Amino acid sequence: MRLAILDADILREALQPKYHSYGRMFEALFERQQPDWEMTIFKVIDGYYPPSMDQYDAFLMTGSQYDAFSDEPWVRRLREYAQTLFQAGRPMIGICFGHQLLAHALGGEAGRAGGGWGMGVMSYSLLATPSFVDDAAPVSLIVSHRDQVTRLPPEAERLLSNDFCPNAAFYISGRVLAIQGHPEFSVDYARALFEYRKDELPPKLAAEVRQSFSLPHQGERVGRWMRRFLEQALA
C-alpha cells in the first residue's frame, strides 16, 4: 500500500514541537496497526502534491481550520484534485475538513453547522455495517468542528449520525470513506486545541466539553476501519 496523506493545515506554532502535524498523526495511527505501508505526507495547503497520482494507491485528506467550501485557491485546487482522483477510481479517505471537502467536491454540500461548534468526545449511531466495519456498536470520537456535511453526494451512504451532526460519516463503496470525527487525535492534543477555541463557546457548553474528555473514545477502532477500507478497496 502506497498512501499519500494530503495535509491541509499547519498546526499552531506552540503545538508543533509536541504534535508536529496532522499528517504525522495519521502516520502514527496507522503505524500502531503495523501495516506494511509506504506513507508520504504532502502539504497541500502549501501547494505540494504527489508528482503523479499513479505513484500512490490511495489518498487521505486531513482536517483543517479552513472551510472546505471556501473559494481559497488552494481549497479549490484540492477539491478539483479530489474530483480527478474519484474519476480515476482512486480510493480516498477524508477526515473532518477532508470529510466535508469530499462531500462538497463529489456533488454533496457542506456549510456552517446550525448548532455552532462541536467539541470534545461525541457518540454516534452506526447506521450501516459495510465489510470494513467490525460491529454495529455506537462509536465515540473526538471532534472539533463548526462546519458539517449538509447533503451527501450521489451514491453515498450514511455511516455515522447523531442529533448534532446527522451526516457524521459516509462512504461510497470501494471508493470513499469520509468521517467528521478525529480518530487520529489524542486527548492531550484535543484539550490543547480546545484551549484556543473555548472562548467561542458558552461557559456551560465549555464545561461540558472539558468533562467529555474523560470519556473513552474509539480512534483506534475507527483507524482499523480505515485500514480495512483501503485494503479491501485495493484487493
Side-chain angles (χ1 to χ4, degrees):
M1 172 82 72
R2 297 166 300 171
L3 177 66
I5 300 173
L6 309 180
D7 197 333
D9 208 350
I10 299 170
L11 299 196
R12 288 169 170 81
E13 188 173 355
L15 301 180
Q16 289 179 26
K18 185 173 182 180
Y19 302 106
H20 191 268
S21 68
Y22 291 140
R24 179 61 194 129
M25 290 180 196
F26 280 106
E27 281 188 328
L29 175 65
F30 290 128
E31 285 167 356
R32 289 194 293 273
Q33 302 177 31
Q34 299 181 323
D36 183 19
W37 290 6
E38 174 188 318
M39 295 179 280
T40 308
I41 298 170
F42 295 92
K43 280 284 187 186
V44 292
I45 189 172
D46 289 330
Y48 295 103
Y49 280 78
S52 167
M53 73 171 64
D54 295 331
Q55 294 178 350
Y56 292 90
D57 301 308
F59 298 78
L60 185 151
M61 299 177 187
T62 75
S64 178
Q65 62 188 296
Y66 296 93
D67 296 333
F69 48 87
S70 81
D71 287 327
E72 290 277 347
W74 75 269
V75 177
R76 288 204 313 269
R77 181 182 178 187
L78 184 57
R79 286 199 300 263
E80 291 166 0
Y81 191 70
Q83 291 165 352
T84 300
L85 293 173
F86 187 75
Q87 291 162 4
R90 296 293 195 275
M92 291 183 285
I93 289 177
I95 301 297
C96 195
F97 166 92
H99 159 76
Q100 298 159 15
L101 184 135
L102 285 173
H104 210 68
L106 301 180
E109 191 171 307
R112 285 280 188 266
W117 276 100
M119 295 187 197
V121 176
M122 285 193 179
S123 180
Y124 302 92
S125 297
L126 189 61
L127 303 182
T129 53
S131 57
F132 57 85
V133 166
D134 47 8
D135 59 51
V139 180
S140 294
L141 282 173
I142 295 170
V143 300
S144 183
H145 66 102
R146 62 174 175 171
D147 298 336
Q148 290 189 21
V149 173
T150 55
R151 179 167 52 86
L152 295 179
E155 303 178 65
E157 294 193 48
R158 278 201 302 171
L159 184 63
L160 298 178
S161 182
N162 66 12
D163 290 342
F164 178 77
C165 186
N167 298 313
F170 69 87
Y171 69 100
I172 300 174
S173 185
R175 305 182 75 181
V176 173
L177 174 60
I179 301 167
Q180 180 61 66
H182 286 280
E184 80 283 13
F185 274 15
S186 67
V187 172
D188 284 350
Y189 177 74
R191 281 194 178 112
L193 187 60
F194 169 70
E195 289 303 311
Y196 286 95
R197 294 175 172 169
K198 62 184 180 182
D199 292 340
E200 298 184 54
L201 301 181
K204 183 176 182 293
L205 180 56
E208 291 172 355
V209 170
R210 282 195 185 90
Q211 187 175 9
S212 79
F213 287 127
S214 65
L215 300 173
H217 70 95
Q218 297 172 313
E220 298 296 322
R221 177 188 177 196
V222 174
R224 292 191 293 272
W225 295 1
M226 294 159 64
R227 176 185 174 182
R228 284 195 293 266
F229 170 80
L230 293 179
E231 289 175 342
Q232 290 175 13
L234 295 166

